[in-house]
Amino acid sequence: MRTLITNGLVVTADGSFEADVLVVDETIEAVVGRETGVAEGVLAGLAVDATIDAAGKYVVPGGIDVHTHMELPFGGTYAKDTFESGSKAAAHGGTTTILDFAAQTKGRSLREGLDAWHARAEGKSVLDYGFHMMMADVNDATLAEMDQLVAEGVPDFKLFTAYPGVFYSPDDHIFRAMQRTRENGGLIMMHAENGPVIDVIAADLVAAGTTAPIGHGLARYAVLEKEATSRSIYLAEAAGVPVYIVHLSSRDALEVVTDARDRGAMAFAETCPQYLFLSLDDLGNGFEGAKYVCSPPLRPKDHQEALWRGLLKDDLQLVATDHCPFDFHGQKELGREDFRKIPNGLPAVEDRVDLLHHGGVVQGRMSRERWVEIMATNPAKLFGMYPKKGAIVPGSDADLLVYDPNRIRTISAATHHMDVDYSIFEGFEIQGASDVVMSRGTVLVRDGEWVGPAGHGRFLRRGPADYVRLA
Ligand SMILES: [Zn+2]
């Protein structure tokens, strides 16, 4: 099967140029600059099975979302999107690869958790997928299992300074896991908030009568994210390993990442669309605020520009979603009497690529090349998938978007594909959308319609992170 994507502007992290892209079966066979191509007749007379006209459009690498939680058990319920519905929604929004978090159940093996996630995704995900491992216990047995997981292409491990009694790890456990990654090449990812202290503040708030969702945002001080981020980075420096901070939400936490990088520490961090576009105000408005409960919480509005600046200056290397959707009716409502019982998580996997285009490129905060870098190329580099993913070069997987930078659309739960009964971006009018979404040479979405096969996705056995490219 040969497909020629012609007349488009190829936009990569390295630059933009008018070129035609030849896809043969699942991979990119050739990228031919248009002037050279025409002058030298490179593609003249080539027989192709399909031609996609990308005139007036960008041709960019498919989006890579390295932080999703399909079907995650949380607080007595499950994140609503399955690998099937969630990956399909992601594809509609221009994402072609997802990395999800397999979870260890406290007291059980990592293997059992990983096997459960493989079973959920296999044959269901329409997108290529990989896993990180969330560790609830650090002990001799799980440390030994880490080596095996790295060998199986699951080289990242998420630890928590939050959620005491569930996922919380004390400093010595975090340090032992970091030491282990120095040996086995894995990467520690940190959920950095001081959970035990937050629990004290939250209990005080509830005792004083604050039970509404706003309490969630008030209890989780930004300075407690800053403290845990700083601690995580110093522990990693002591262990002599890189560290990756997930879902960085505040100016405060960004300051310590910036300082660390300035002194040469191998500290990396992502932020999420919700922290760039939403704020603490959304947690107000009575119980409606439950729709916006995630951890870390949404911050006061004035943190947003600091995060955008962090993305521009590369103190933040990428944007992932932390997609973890719960219905407002029946799920978020579990916390009607007490904000601590509201399932933590938001639906976002479908909106990331377009929101970043709108807020980044259209609103003049970054170049279109940087947009590609933070939504596809850096995720691929940092998580051992480059240049198979996140690039437009011969030999790369043909994961491509024909992207219309001018199309205007309005985000709404009435039209989105995520299996959840509300949108956190309801009514947002944004510019930019994918006309064609291709995964390994197969068109999945065309003009907003699903045209792909079921269960198209494959497990990605990933190598260790490519820090040198990012340091
Ligand atoms: Zn998460």
Side-chain angles (χ1 to χ4, degrees):
M1 174 83 183
R2 288 160 175 261
T3 304
L4 186 66
I5 304 174
T6 185
N7 295 325
L9 181 72
V10 171
V11 181
T12 72
D14 302 321
S16 304
F17 48 101
E18 294 192 345
D20 294 346
V21 180
L22 178 64
V23 173
V24 176
D25 299 327
E26 300 196 339
T27 54
I28 294 171
E29 174 80 10
V31 184
V32 183
R34 194 131 48 243
E35 272 179 37
T36 325
V38 171
E40 299 176 5
V42 178
L43 297 172
L46 183 79
V48 295
D49 304 288
T51 301
I52 297 173
D53 184 5
K57 312 287 165 67
Y58 299 159
V59 180
V60 301
I64 300 176
D65 191 341
V66 300
H67 193 153
T68 70
H69 296 286
M70 306 303 173
E71 302 175 57
L72 178 74
F74 192 103
T77 185
Y78 282 83
K80 189 113 177 296
D81 266 320
T82 61
F83 274 88
E84 188 174 2
S85 66
S87 64
K88 239 176 166 170
H92 274 281
T95 288
T96 53
T97 299
I98 55 171
L99 300 184
D100 201 86
F101 286 86
Q104 180 210 358
T105 305
K106 218 170 172 42
R108 314 285 268 275
S109 65
L110 303 188
R111 163 69 46 205
E112 193 180 327
L114 181 59
D115 284 351
W117 255 260
H118 271 296
R120 282 171 185 164
E122 197 179 348
K124 305 278 176 29
S125 179
V126 299
L127 299 181
D128 288 352
Y129 59 93
F131 297 121
H132 319 284
M133 189 79 218
M134 297 202 285
M135 292 177 71
D137 300 308
V138 176
N139 55 41
D140 290 342
T142 58
L143 286 166
E145 283 194 281
M146 288 172 77
D147 301 350
Q148 181 58 34
L149 264 56
V150 172
E152 290 178 23
V154 180
D156 325 302
F157 304 89
K158 186 180 180 187
L159 296 173
F160 297 72
T161 59
Y163 304 127
V166 187
F167 277 111
Y168 173 78
S169 285
D171 292 352
D172 55 328
H173 288 198
I174 294 167
F175 188 69
R176 285 190 78 197
M178 286 174 166
Q179 286 180 316
R180 195 75 177 206
T181 61
R182 195 176 58 207
E183 306 302 319
N184 66 25
L187 174 67
I188 298 296
M189 311 171 79
M190 291 300 305
H191 177 137
E193 287 184 291
N194 190 320
V197 172
I198 285 168
D199 283 2
V200 170
I201 302 166
D204 288 349
L205 278 170
V206 171
T210 300
T211 57
I214 189 70
H216 178 82
L218 299 176
R220 307 183 83 91
Y221 298 174
V223 73
L224 296 173
E225 182 187 13
K226 180 178 193 172
E227 181 275 323
T229 301
S230 174
R231 183 164 27 117
S232 298
I233 293 171
Y234 282 122
L235 290 174
E237 286 185 72
V241 296
V243 65
Y244 181 89
I245 308 297
V246 296
H247 50 48
L248 186 144
S249 72
S250 65
R251 183 177 50 218
D252 309 59
L254 177 59
E255 277 167 14
V256 301
V257 171
T258 303
D259 287 351
R261 292 176 64 83
D262 285 351
R263 68 175 178 267
M266 294 281 261
F268 304 99
E270 71 185 19
T271 189
C272 310
Q274 49 270 31
Y275 304 121
L276 295 167
F277 289 90
L278 304 174
S279 75
L280 185 65
D281 298 343
D282 293 297
L283 277 166
N285 190 20
F287 193 68
E288 281 290 302
K291 292 176 176 174
Y292 301 90
V293 166
C294 58
S295 293
L298 301 179
R299 302 299 185 184
K301 219 174 175 42
D302 58 342
H303 289 242
Q304 293 172 358
E305 280 310 318
L307 297 178
W308 281 111
R309 236 178 355 262
L311 282 168
L312 188 64
K313 295 174 71 179
D314 205 43
D315 290 315
L316 301 170
Q317 293 76 44
L318 63 98
V319 178
T321 59
D322 197 10
H323 176 74
C324 191
F326 298 96
D327 274 342
F328 180 67
H329 296 288
Q331 291 191 301
K332 290 285 189 181
E333 284 180 327
L334 292 170
R336 261 210 191 273
E337 311 302 326
D338 183 341
F339 67 79
R340 294 173 298 180
K341 299 200 171 82
I342 300 170
N344 284 205
L346 308 178
V349 78
E350 189 168 348
D351 302 314
R352 182 187 64 116
V353 171
D354 295 343
L355 280 168
L356 291 174
H357 178 265
H358 182 81
V361 184
V362 177
Q363 295 187 329
R365 293 188 179 95
M366 65 180 66
S367 66
R368 56 197 174 197
E369 291 80 13
R370 180 61 178 169
W371 165 63
V372 168
E373 192 162 40
I374 62 170
M375 67 88 168
T377 306
N378 279 352
K381 287 179 176 174
L382 200 44
F383 291 96
M385 296 179 277
Y386 188 82
K388 180 181 166 68
K389 305 289 191 191
I392 303 185
V393 294
S396 296
D397 282 357
D399 292 3
L400 296 166
L401 310 179
V402 175
Y403 199 84
D404 182 347
N406 296 312
R407 191 180 350 149
I408 301 204
R409 69 183 185 93
T410 303
I411 299 177
S412 173
T415 48
H416 75 199
H417 301 83
M418 298 177 284
D419 183 19
V420 61
D421 65 2
Y422 72 98
S423 170
I424 50 174
F425 304 112
E426 186 70 39
F428 276 45
E429 192 175 85
I430 58 171
Q431 184 180 326
S434 300
D435 285 357
V436 176
V437 179
M438 177 185 279
S439 162
R440 279 184 285 103
T442 298
V443 175
L444 300 183
V445 178
R446 192 187 290 272
D447 298 326
E449 295 299 319
W450 178 260
V451 295
H456 168 79
R458 280 192 208 137
F459 172 64
L460 290 164
R461 188 183 261 270
R462 293 178 296 114
D466 203 351
Y467 311 114
V468 178
R469 289 182 199 269
L470 278 157

